[in-house]
Amino acid sequence: AQSVTQLGSHVSVSEGALVLLRCNYSSSVPPYLFWYVQYPNQGLQLLLKYTTGATLVKGINGFEAEFKKSETSFHLTKPSAHMSDAAEYFCAVSEGTGNQFYFGTGTSLTVIP
Amino acid sequence: DTAVSQTPKYLVTQMGNDKSIKCEQNLGHDTMYWYKQDSKKFLKIMFSYNNKELIINETVPNRFSPKSPDKAHLNLHINSLELGDSAVYFCASSQGAGLSTDTQYFGPGTRLTVL
């Protein structure tokens, strides 16, 4: 069985500061991991995903995430926050095969001017 | 051009009514999905259709019935609406049927409020 835990339902950072959104997963098989962003009143948009290969994954809008198997983590980072980054961020996990896809409960990011 | 569109954007209705939400994608994708996002922002997959055939049917009350008239459309019909059905419903599509490997593109959501 798989699950996703996002620590911190709300995160606030100052503009220009480092963004760190945490995601831990549990999976009985090697996972595929995703980060999605949801801007207000919009659908989800894929930021980045890890399937196999390089554990540091770069996504859109300057975001990146690192798969750490030993820590069962896939934290999302961005070196310098912009006001436009304010949104809800969802981590998700699935198996390499099968039809199960699980989202975390989301982290709301606020960027303070 | 909107890739995945849903109508209506907002839906307010009384308990016991029957309602439908429509979804269309113009991406030429083979697979479409319905997700439910509850008031705590928890997202859960409900259904998935690949080339008009049902491939995922999670534990969802049978009051919910998806219908795919063609590859580009996946509508969601809900009978006898209950208060607990209030949520935001998202449609999504992907090129292939692999949830793991195929990027999903989401619609803007339909906020359903049952009074």
Side-chain angles (χ1 to χ4, degrees):
Chain A
Q2 302 156 343
S3 68
V4 181
T5 302
Q6 290 184 240
L7 293 175
S9 58
H10 297 275
V11 171
S12 294
V13 299
S14 297
E15 193 174 14
L18 171 73
V19 176
L20 170 61
L21 304 182
R22 298 178 187 275
C23 174
N24 288 87
Y25 69 90
S26 66
S27 177
S28 55
V29 298
Y32 286 17
L33 297 158
F34 307 78
W35 275 100
Y36 280 84
V37 60
Q38 184 180 21
Y39 297 105
N41 300 315
Q42 294 186 29
L44 281 76
Q45 180 182 1
L46 182 67
L47 273 178
L48 49 82
K49 66 179 179 182
Y50 167 79
T51 53
T52 58
T55 56
L56 181 62
V57 181
K58 294 188 185 300
I60 61 172
N61 301 339
F63 284 93
E64 62 182 37
E66 186 171 11
F67 169 54
K68 291 187 177 180
K69 185 178 177 182
S70 60
E71 298 177 8
T72 61
S73 69
F74 191 56
H75 301 331
L76 182 71
T77 61
K78 181 174 180 177
S80 175
H82 295 165
M83 296 299 295
S84 59
D85 294 327
E88 191 87 20
Y89 291 81
F90 292 90
C91 184
V93 64
S94 73
E95 295 179 347
T97 58
N99 288 318
Q100 294 302 320
F101 199 87
Y102 297 96
F103 281 95
T105 50
T107 297
S108 178
L109 176 66
T110 300
V111 181
I112 304 166
Chain B
D1 285 343
T2 304
V4 182
S5 59
Q6 297 178 226
T7 54
K9 191 171 174 129
Y10 299 96
L11 184 53
V12 181
T13 188
Q14 300 285 336
M15 263 186 1
N17 284 351
D18 303 338
K19 290 292 178 185
S20 292
I21 307 172
K22 296 186 177 181
C23 178
E24 177 181 2
Q25 54 96 1
N26 63 6
L27 298 166
H29 287 168
D30 289 337
T31 307
M32 296 184 72
Y33 312 82
W34 277 109
Y35 285 85
K36 178 181 180 181
Q37 185 179 44
D38 64 22
S39 59
K40 296 182 180 178
K41 299 276 187 177
F42 183 63
L43 261 164
K44 185 173 167 57
I45 193 167
M46 301 172 70
F47 302 103
S48 170
Y49 269 72
N50 177 258
N51 281 319
K52 302 196 316 178
E53 287 192 20
L54 182 67
I55 56 172
I56 295 176
N57 185 1
E58 289 296 301
T59 306
V60 175
N62 57 15
R63 297 181 295 104
F64 290 79
S65 54
K67 286 188 171 49
S68 183
D70 55 59
K71 217 169 65 163
H73 296 84
L74 181 61
N75 303 323
L76 183 65
H77 189 76
I78 315 170
N79 290 327
S80 303
L81 278 156
E82 300 177 358
L83 293 177
D85 297 333
S86 295
V88 181
Y89 292 83
F90 286 100
C91 178
S93 73
S94 65
Q95 181 60 57
L99 275 173
S100 306
T101 53
D102 294 287
T103 299
Q104 296 176 64
Y105 294 81
F106 284 78
T110 295
R111 183 174 293 278
L112 171 64
T113 303
V114 182
L115 303 175

